[in-house]
Amino acid sequence: MGLAITSARAAGSFSAGDELTAQQLLEIYRLMYLSRALDDREILLKRQQKIFFQVSGAGHEALQVGAALALKTGYDWFFPYYRDRALCLGLGFTPYNMMLQAVGAAADPSSGGRQMPMHWSSRALHIVSTSSSTTTQLLHAVGCAEAGRFFTRHPEAAASAGGDYRAFHDVDFHGDEVVLACVGEGSTSQGEFWEALNTASNQKLPVIFCIEDNGYAISVPVEVNTPGGNISRLVANFPHFHFAEIDGNDPVVCLRTFQEAAAHCRAGRGPALVHGHCVRLYSHSLSDDDKLYRSAAEREADALRDPIARMRTRLVGDGVIASGELDELERSMQQEAAHAADRALEAPLPSVSGIKTHVYSEDLDPAHAAFATEQIQTASRTNGATAAVAPKAAGGPRTMAELINACLRDEMRRDPRIVIYGEDVADASRDTALAEVKGKGGVFKLTAGLQTEFGSERVFNSPLAEANIVGRAIGYAVRGMKPVVEIQFFDYIWPAMHQIHNELSVMRWRSNGEWAAPAVIRVPIGGYLTGGAIYHSQSGESIFTHIPGLRVAFPSNALDANGLLRTAIRCDDPVLFLEHKRLYRETFGRAAYPGPEFAIPFGKAKVVRSGGDITLVTYGAVVPRALQAAQQAQREHGIEVEILDLRTLNPYDWEAIAASVRKTNRVIVAHEDMLSWGYGAEIAARIADELFGELDAPVRRVGSMDTFVAYQPVLEDAILPQPSTILNAIVDLRRY
Ligand SMILES: Cc1ncc(C[n+]2csc(CCOP(=O)(O)OP(=O)(O)O)c2C)c(N)n1
Ligand SMILES: [Mg+2]
């Protein structure tokens, strides 16, 4: 028998219904065996200390090969987890590329040596970068499926456009694509599993959830993670799903099951969940020893269910191939694995000078002058030549809330790839009421009227689940869309923190620039509300400026909010856009509508008051309070304070800070957030570090007390920094 051994697979070569040929059965075996051979080779390398981590797919091969062969490489979309070697091999990932990741080579196509082995990524194969965090990828898969559907219904949105992030995101979609997301059974305990099923079911999305049930989450058995020990029984009532619970050790059963699941999804009937019972033949990883916690009898029973041994017996028993020929095939697979490893060990290592590449977009810098239409506007007042391109201010003063809403509206008109969703952001609870009701548009009304103008496919409510909001946004964004999502209150951003910290911000870096998730997250933040109390007054921006890859904006007035939000939307990095609730409708900082092209670059502070005695660096709701304090300091003490409004916290305008400190030689950093470990600590430390010789006095910080914000206004006033707190600091600092 001729054994055609190929690494790549022609899409659709395993069609449903037809009897499998001997060639196809051997191809299934080849992929399974090659996967195991690669695991075994990696284990050897780890023992020789030539690689640094090893986790295997041993025992999961049948399920994964079944999935790979039922779906279409580079057409469907894939969100694997760290055991999915056989899946990725089946999709066309080469053994050499796998070994490049194991050794951490520069040419590792998944991450350039940044991620552990088995953390997959390939743009060509539509494999979206995998993290180690369990379950997060299921929400990305949901967002990815939503984006595919959106482009299918609105193909005009896929057109490329210059002048913003779209220039760097080619869109690729088919009307009937399927998204596969894989996860272990232990990981179904995570809330994000249920949040993903929720939206996939509600929206009848073409996502196949594959549960690779090996009965263990490291040492924790399935009954601890899953009440009753069977996830299929728990999920059975989700509407629109196609469910299958199967023997995940039989690759032909697996293939047929995934073909049925894919047919259900492609026909638009809804998602599918394939629950495959498989075995974990090795320990969880090479850092684990399952003899410490599993009985010998149980381990021996699992070994008897080894899908490769079973498939071998079947091929030989059914006369598909002679035992000797199969031995020969296996030897060639082992040689292929060894050869791939040997070549990878020779490959050049990543250069240290490239470490920071792809933390942020290398293509589009939000600090770039192209976003400086603010300057153009200012220039136009003195120079008629630039007036033609200047944004047009119009109408009377508008609040920050109104100008944020105006920016969202203008950008949605300009860019058909923008979708807006979050809790309560829609106008009408149900579409049928849209014509009748005035519209809600968010608890602070920032998205008012947008569903009415742009329809329910572009502006819609999300479930009450913050990880769902951000996780789906990542899926949308990797497909080239621009989700501009709302977290209702900063106080409730924490369920999304895992997605923000471990996924959104790091997607570009960990995939070495292959994928990116430039979503915008708008978040009302802060106190001074008189009664906001603990859960409607929180600050905490420094927790987010501590995350590389994430831009953070924090405007203090209506015009800045409008211009910075435009930059946030058009740029190619993920942005946390913090909107101070107290400033939404304040008289302070109102401005005329600046027109649909008004933008402010990130990282450019604004001198909101000039002065020669003390520099006061601040942002957000402290800006008007600092202005009050500065006026009083001048009136009562003759002290001239220069106030810098940073406007964006990452990046921040170090040059402006340094220039002002060189002039005044005294500096206060003031913010609403708690003093200790707050944003000011970093700025103060850098000033002390780099401008020590310029200082005539110690760097002073002003912040709230190191406590929570209380409900009773007497307490709230004492906890948060007031103009009087700032004034005291100013007067005190002048004494040096
Ligand atoms: C959110 C999160 N918590 C904890 C871990 C550490 N961890 C890695 S794998 C794992 C067990 C996963 O078990 P399961 O989902 O059944 O997948 P399996 O490894 O058995 O295939 C744990 C706890 C992690 N990676 N992510
Ligand atoms: Mg498991």
Side-chain angles (χ1 to χ4, degrees), residues 55 60 81-83 132-136 183-188 190 212 214-218 225 280 284 498:
V55 60
H60 289 230
Y81 83 121
Y82 52 76
R83 287 208 194 284
S132 300
S133 304
T134 61
T135 327
T136 48
V183 76
E185 89 296 334
S187 302
T188 63
Q190 295 279 358
E212 303 188 22
N214 56 21
Y216 278 90
I218 309 186
N225 274 300
R280 196 187 74 193
H284 171 75
H498 194 194

Side-chain angles (χ1 to χ4, degrees), residues 64-137:
Q64 294 175 16
V65 169
L69 298 181
L71 300 175
K72 300 186 195 173
T73 297
Y75 182 103
D76 294 323
W77 288 77
F78 301 91
F79 292 81
Y81 83 121
Y82 52 76
R83 287 208 194 284
D84 288 338
R85 186 194 295 285
L87 170 72
C88 292
L89 272 178
L91 295 175
F93 219 98
T94 68
Y96 177 55
N97 283 343
M98 291 184 176
M99 286 297 173
L100 284 174
Q101 191 172 46
V103 303
D108 151 34
S110 293
S111 76
R114 292 169 175 188
Q115 289 237 70
M116 289 171 151
M118 306 281 267
H119 288 59
W120 317 104
S121 174
S122 166
R123 219 182 156 84
L125 302 177
H126 286 187
I127 300 173
V128 180
S129 169
T130 315
S131 84
S132 300
S133 304
T134 61
T135 327
T136 48
Q137 75 276 19

